[in-house]
Amino acid sequence: MPDETTPLLSSIDDTIESCMTGPRMTHLLPSLLVALAWVFDAQQTFISVFTDVEPTWHCKNPDDTACASSSSPCNLDRSSWGWDAPIDSSVVSEWDLKCSAPALISLPASAYFMGCLIGGLLLSTLADSILGRKRLLVISCLAMSMTGISAVLSPNIWIYASMRFVCGCARATVGTCAMVLCTEIVGKKWREVVSVFSFVCFTLGFLSLPLIAYLCRMMSWRFIYLWTSVPSLCYAILVHFFVQESPRWLLVRGRKDEAIQTLKRLAALSGNMVTSSFSKLQYFDEPSCETGALSTMKMLWDRKWATRRLTAIMTVGFGVGLVYYGMPLNVGNLGSNLYLSVTFNALAEFPSSLVTFLLVGKINRRSSLLALTTISGIFSLCCIANNEIIPAKVQMVLEVVSFFSTCTCFNIIMIYSIELFPTCVRNSALSLIRQALVLGGVLAPMLVVKGREKKFWSFGVFGLLICCCGLFTVCLPETRGRSICDTMEEEEYKEADSNQSRNGP
């Protein structure tokens, strides 16, 4: 084993790069397949926008002046009004939640995000320690799809909320494992490409929901879960048979022979039968990181630089997550068409992914995050105005711009986080950062319901928090153009070398 201060990343990077340089680009196929997990991640995250929507209502007797003059049916006799859509088209109408407390109406969505939070904290380290990226991804997708199917059988709001909670626990590691795995089975040249493809897949999943919901608008909300959960089940089976484990993870776990076999398979996909560079892997004959389910968390907390980075990026992530998950739920408070508003929000993610793809190699992470969080906050605050001051159509444009800025922040945070932490703790760190994003999602549904009474509680709070949280970006180091590390010692060596270069001899 070499001295701890010797950087090891170049050996692994050179080996992986040599395996990926061939006449064919088919070596990208496993990575692109892994990225498709974000489609199902998005569907389960935003499905409540349509399944838990509050339907419109009408007076059964047009001559009933008391009913016609009322803005809410809660003070009317239940027999005097009815729903415009079939009663089972929404959770709210099927279980008669219209006049229930806001906490009960938002319970399923909040339970889902709470499950994401708890599941991420409990399961995130398994991808770095025991199970690995691929196995945890398969298990998570299977569990997410099965609980989605189980939600179809829910007889009441309590069972339904419980299923959403379990689904959130299962979903917590899907996006994280998928992004880490798809970037670790390609060379440096393609890392940013497959990262952006993950964001595109998330957008496709988000964009598919208005279409599915529109086709099921006169049917039960349960069909929406079937249309999203069954494909997820099939996807998990495909990943199990056609995707390899991360060679980087195998190497830092001391499983050199398995890593070599994986690299040979990836090299064969690109038409490259190179074997000479495998001799560089001798540095990892022994595990380079501690073992145990909680060892990666200990490694993060024992090093002040890692704790500082994690705290700062998680704070930024909380503000971004509040707006990212809250805006799609909040579009109904603008008074515009729900299907059209959600579609515009989903479409906003396409240019966001494109901007990320075009600029991620050219712009600094810190300054771009700071600028985008500020823009998002300002435009969100503008949506507080009454329709008489700013028309509803203009507010929808402002909301889409705010959401676009937040989507771009989300993309940069995910790429930034991969660069901030080494391989042996990367999945755990990224999972914690995603939990900070999800924590914003836990708070968002309650603010959205409160915002139906006064828009400040949704758009106003969204704008203020993302602006304040974005300021913590200044506490992070710049990582643009850096290669990623594999061990904590290597990251410390690179940080020390960077500080020495910046301060001079």
Side-chain angles (χ1 to χ4, degrees):
M1 297 289 288
D3 184 81
E4 286 186 348
T5 61
T6 303
L8 307 178
L9 180 63
S10 59
S11 297
I12 302 178
D13 266 356
D14 290 345
T15 302
I16 294 177
E17 290 289 343
S18 65
C19 292
M20 303 307 170
T21 54
R24 302 193 301 265
M25 294 179 59
T26 48
H27 67 278
L28 293 176
L29 293 178
S31 184
L32 299 180
L33 176 60
V34 170
L36 287 176
W38 283 70
V39 171
F40 310 106
D41 185 7
Q43 289 177 338
Q44 290 302 320
T45 298
F46 295 115
I47 196 170
S48 59
V49 173
F50 297 102
T51 58
D52 301 4
V53 69
E54 184 177 300
T56 56
W57 59 281
H58 63 274
C59 297
K60 293 182 178 180
N61 183 3
D63 298 327
D64 188 343
T65 56
C67 179
S69 61
S70 178
S71 59
S72 172
C74 295
N75 299 324
L76 302 175
D77 184 84
R78 185 62 185 86
S79 61
S80 65
W81 62 276
W83 301 107
D84 291 341
I87 192 171
D88 61 350
S89 63
S90 168
V91 168
V92 174
S93 55
E94 179 170 339
W95 293 323
D96 202 19
L97 303 176
K98 169 70 177 177
C99 302
S100 300
L104 183 62
I105 299 174
S106 63
L107 179 62
S110 294
Y112 172 80
F113 286 115
M114 185 60 70
C116 293
L117 185 65
I118 295 176
L121 294 174
L122 295 179
L123 305 176
S124 61
T125 61
L126 298 180
D128 282 328
S129 56
I130 300 173
L131 295 179
R133 284 78 158 110
K134 173 190 170 180
R135 193 178 302 174
L136 184 58
L137 176 61
V138 172
I139 293 173
S140 297
C141 286
L142 284 173
M144 182 177 68
S145 59
M146 293 305 298
T147 51
I149 294 172
S150 299
V152 174
L153 306 176
S154 302
N156 54 56
I157 185 67
W158 305 106
I159 299 298
Y160 173 60
S162 300
M163 290 296 100
R164 293 300 291 155
F165 175 81
V166 177
C167 184
C169 289
R171 171 264 174 190
T173 56
V174 170
T176 304
C177 288
M179 171 155 280
V180 172
L181 179 56
C182 75
T183 55
E184 289 183 351
I185 58 178
V186 296
K188 181 179 180 181
K189 176 182 177 182
W190 300 103
R191 195 171 297 141
E192 292 174 352
V193 175
V194 297
S195 295
V196 173
F197 185 73
S198 298
F199 305 144
V200 172
C201 288
F202 192 88
T203 304
L204 291 174
F206 188 8
L207 192 58
S208 68
L209 278 176
L211 176 60
I212 295 173
Y214 184 77
L215 294 175
C216 299
R217 66 189 183 283
M218 300 306 291
M219 296 185 286
S220 173
W221 56 268
R222 303 169 196 270
F223 283 99
I224 303 178
Y225 276 99
L226 288 177
W227 277 100
T228 55
S229 299
V230 173
S232 176
L233 183 64
C234 299
Y235 167 80
I237 298 172
L238 287 176
V239 171
H240 175 71
F241 287 105
F242 294 105
V243 174
Q244 305 295 325
E245 181 56 87
S246 164
R248 284 183 178 273
W249 179 78
L250 292 171
L251 287 171
V252 298
R253 304 313 300 176
R255 295 159 63 173
K256 180 180 176 182
D257 292 338
E258 293 178 62
I260 290 176
Q261 293 303 314
T262 298
L263 289 170
K264 286 182 177 179
R265 294 189 188 100
L266 294 174
L269 286 174
S270 63
N272 185 357
M273 303 307 295
V274 62
T275 57
S276 59
S277 61
F278 293 147
S279 60
K280 296 181 180 181
L281 302 181
Q282 61 183 342
Y283 293 114
F284 293 90
D285 287 335
E286 298 295 335
S288 299
C289 295
E290 300 176 32
T291 59
L294 298 178
S295 60
T296 52
M297 291 297 181
K298 183 176 182 297
M299 293 169 67
L300 286 169
W301 298 125
D302 284 349
R303 289 167 168 81
K304 291 184 179 180
W305 63 266
T307 305
R308 183 174 61 253
R309 291 185 188 183
L310 193 60
T311 303
I313 194 68
M314 285 178 68
T315 304
V316 179
F318 170 77
V320 171
L322 181 72
V323 181
Y324 184 80
Y325 293 116
M327 278 295 188
L329 298 174
N330 198 40
V331 291
N333 291 346
L334 290 175
S336 53
N337 182 276
L338 178 63
Y339 297 101
L340 191 61
S341 297
V342 175
T343 300
F344 282 152
N345 274 267
L347 288 173
E349 294 214 29
F350 276 121
S352 170
S353 299
L354 180 61
V355 168
T356 305
F357 174 70
L358 294 176
L359 299 181
V360 71
K362 302 176 182 178
I363 60 175
N364 291 337
R365 293 5 177 181
R366 289 193 303 180
S367 57
S368 57
L369 274 180
L370 186 60
L372 288 167
T373 51
T374 302
I375 292 171
S376 177
I378 292 173
F379 277 80
S380 180
L381 287 169
C382 290
C383 294
I384 299 175
N386 294 327
N387 292 350
E388 291 77 13
I389 300 175
I390 300 179
K393 291 183 179 179
V394 177
Q395 289 189 32
M396 188 171 71
V397 173
L398 295 174
E399 186 272 336
V400 170
V401 173
S402 177
F403 185 68
F404 164 80
S405 301
T406 306
C407 290
T408 310
C409 286
F410 187 99
N411 297 345
I412 293 175
I413 284 177
M414 298 300 287
I415 295 174
Y416 198 7
S417 302
I418 289 175
E419 298 170 345
L420 284 172
F421 300 95
T423 300
C424 58
V425 297
R426 183 171 298 126
N427 200 91
S428 298
L430 193 59
S431 292
L432 288 173
I433 295 162
R434 286 203 80 197
Q435 301 328 301
L437 289 159
V438 168
L439 184 59
V442 173
L443 179 61
M446 292 177 280
L447 290 174
V448 169
V449 173
K450 190 70 175 175
R452 292 170 184 168
E453 304 171 4
K454 190 174 182 180
K455 287 198 290 186
F456 173 80
W457 291 109
S458 53
F459 290 110
V461 175
F462 288 173
L464 291 174
L465 279 179
I466 193 172
C467 282
C468 294
C469 293
L471 296 175
F472 282 80
T473 306
V474 298
C475 302
L476 296 168
E478 183 54 55
T479 60
R480 180 171 67 92
R482 282 182 41 180
S483 56
I484 59 176
C485 300
D486 291 293
T487 65
M488 302 295 279
E489 293 76 20
E490 185 183 350
E491 182 66 42
E492 290 169 353
Y493 174 89
K494 185 170 291 187
E495 180 73 11
D497 186 59
S498 176
N499 292 335
Q500 184 177 2
S501 300
R502 186 167 54 250
N503 298 329

